[in-house]
Amino acid sequence: MGRKTDALRLLLLAYEPKSAMVFCNTKRTVDELTEALCDKGIQAAGLHGDMKQMQRTQVMNAFKSGRIGVLVATDVAARGIDVNGIDLVFNYDLPQDNEYYIHRIGRTGRAGKSGTALTLVSGRRQVFALRDIAKYTKAEIIQKALPTRADLAAKKTQQLHDAVAQACAEQPSSRAEELLNRLTEEGYTAQQIAQVLLEEKLSASLQSIPEFDAPQPIRREGKRGRSAVTTAKVDINIGRQQRIAPNFILGALVDATGLSGKDFGKIDIFDQHTTVEVPEAEMDFVIDSLNAGKINGHKVTVKRYEGKETGSRSDFRGKSRNDGFNRRPRGRNTDRRNEHKKQSRRFYG
């Protein structure tokens, strides 16, 4: 599902909660996120309003008994749920109402126990929204960096060290001793055997850690002796029919991602959709940041561009695909109007 899901997996591996709740704003996100977590071996289950009562009861019983460690739910479906001992609450999506935030984080740290609430945000728009929540709740929300893959690898290595050290203090079984003797008789040293077994254990532990680098703004390099950044295209489901202009698109991208306007390339506006060149390394970040947001009052869906262009096109300079055909003879006034249009187009570029 993208960077946000990888970030959630990193945090689950870092904190290792016995029970955690993950809040999403839509039923679709609940289903997709639950499936993504289960595919990675995480014991998760979803809860939303489209589920039958029997299904909801089964999910809650599994969560309360500990058979399910992660419950992914919408705010409406989570109403009335009373579960003690929740170690960690995630705001996968920012709540649509400030009161929801209070209800969400109130599910951890009950009865004098400690608990943690983490909110995943990307882009300036979400950072500002979280600041508004902090003001509303009169609480301090501390910004923290995501754990790196190296941090988690070090943690896994230390855990293996502690487990081996504890096992060495115990008497090995006769089967293990017999197998070790057979291997040494075949010419293998005890150090070789130990290294092979440790490497196998380490590989299994590290394989569960997702490849993830926190996104950093990428500056589009110019012609002054610097190499250009590789770009790719994203597709936004609004276009000319929604009276969308390039500055609306660019402003929304900058606001949502925190990147500079210079980081984005050509904007092509079609009748029903728009394509934008973005840094290829930041594509998932851009999609996650802008998806389900609004541009000029229209809720948008953002995805990877698949190369299907429909309808006529206007690029970020305001030039139509049909420019150069069926032109009228130019007079003095016509030339002035065209010059005015060119100036306006440069503003959007």
Side-chain angles (χ1 to χ4, degrees):
M1 287 180 64
R3 285 180 177 269
K4 190 183 287 188
T5 303
D6 287 340
L8 176 62
R9 288 174 54 204
L10 279 174
L11 291 168
L12 286 170
L13 288 170
Y15 284 87
E16 297 182 323
K18 292 182 179 179
S19 62
M21 288 191 70
V22 183
F23 285 96
C24 305
N25 288 342
T26 66
K27 303 167 188 175
R28 178 179 176 180
T29 305
V30 168
D31 289 336
E32 291 178 349
L33 180 58
T34 302
E35 182 179 357
L37 293 176
C38 290
D39 287 344
K40 297 300 180 179
I42 298 173
Q43 297 296 322
L47 190 71
H48 57 68
D50 283 353
M51 298 171 62
K52 295 180 180 179
Q53 184 59 45
M54 181 181 293
Q55 291 175 304
R56 296 177 64 177
T57 301
Q58 290 175 345
V59 169
M60 286 308 306
N61 289 339
F63 184 60
K64 289 179 179 179
S65 66
R67 287 182 285 119
I68 296 296
V70 179
L71 180 65
V72 186
T74 58
D75 292 288
V76 174
R79 287 177 182 173
I81 294 178
D82 188 16
V83 180
N84 293 322
I86 296 177
D87 305 320
L88 197 55
V89 167
F90 288 99
N91 294 305
Y92 185 83
D93 293 325
L94 279 177
Q96 296 172 328
D97 187 284
N98 290 342
E99 283 293 330
Y100 288 169
Y101 180 85
I102 297 174
H103 294 310
R104 288 179 179 186
I105 67 172
R107 297 182 181 278
T108 187
R110 290 183 174 181
K113 295 182 180 180
S114 62
T116 303
L118 301 175
T119 302
L120 301 177
V121 296
S122 59
R124 290 187 297 179
R125 176 166 55 88
Q126 292 190 5
V127 171
F128 293 151
L130 190 59
R131 288 176 182 172
D132 290 339
I133 291 174
K135 291 178 181 178
Y136 178 82
T137 58
K138 298 179 180 179
E140 182 183 8
I141 299 176
I142 302 172
Q143 181 178 348
K144 298 185 69 175
L146 284 170
T148 64
R149 197 173 193 276
D151 294 334
L152 292 178
K155 181 180 180 179
K156 293 287 186 181
T157 303
Q158 184 61 45
Q159 288 176 340
L160 179 59
H161 169 274
D162 296 342
V164 172
Q166 182 177 354
C168 287
E170 301 174 359
Q171 183 68 29
S173 66
S174 58
R175 288 184 179 180
E177 189 173 358
E178 180 183 348
L179 180 57
L180 177 61
N181 291 333
R182 283 176 56 189
L183 289 169
T184 54
E185 289 174 0
E186 293 174 5
Y188 300 104
T189 67
Q191 184 175 359
Q192 286 177 315
I193 298 168
Q195 285 177 337
V196 170
L197 294 176
L198 288 174
E199 180 62 34
E200 185 177 333
K201 286 285 188 180
L202 272 176
S203 297
S205 297
L206 300 181
Q207 192 174 6
S208 63
I209 304 175
E211 294 284 352
F212 184 87
D213 294 316
Q216 299 292 332
I218 296 178
R219 302 302 174 196
R220 181 174 294 276
E221 312 251 346
K223 298 180 180 180
R224 300 179 179 179
R226 294 178 293 179
S227 58
V229 173
T230 303
T231 62
K233 284 186 177 181
V234 297
D235 185 271
I236 307 173
N237 67 330
I238 55 174
R240 194 182 297 105
Q241 291 185 358
Q242 288 77 30
R243 298 182 180 276
I244 292 300
N247 58 328
F248 297 156
I249 299 291
L250 186 59
L253 286 166
V254 170
D255 184 52
T257 64
L259 299 173
S260 166
K262 295 180 180 179
D263 292 326
F264 301 99
K266 190 176 182 181
I267 300 174
D268 287 323
I269 300 179
F270 298 85
D271 290 338
Q272 297 179 351
H273 71 110
T274 298
T275 62
V276 185
E277 286 184 347
V278 303
E280 187 174 36
E282 298 296 319
M283 174 176 286
D284 290 339
F285 173 57
V286 171
I287 291 174
D288 286 344
S289 298
L290 191 59
N291 217 358
K294 288 187 177 182
I295 299 179
N296 199 30
H298 299 280
K299 190 173 182 179
V300 298
T301 300
V302 187
K303 61 182 180 180
R304 182 185 294 272
Y305 177 60
E306 301 295 341
K308 297 179 181 180
E309 299 180 354
T310 57
S312 60
R313 174 183 68 185
S314 295
D315 66 19
F316 71 102
R317 292 177 296 276
K319 186 180 292 184
S320 171
R321 177 180 285 182
N322 295 322
D323 276 4
F325 299 92
N326 300 324
R327 291 179 176 172
R328 295 180 180 178
R330 292 186 176 181
R332 185 175 180 182
N333 292 335
T334 304
D335 290 341
R336 288 181 177 177
R337 286 195 297 269
N338 288 340
E339 182 62 28
H340 176 71
K341 290 179 181 178
K342 289 179 181 177
Q343 292 173 355
S344 299
R345 291 166 185 168
R346 292 192 194 102
F347 172 76
Y348 293 124

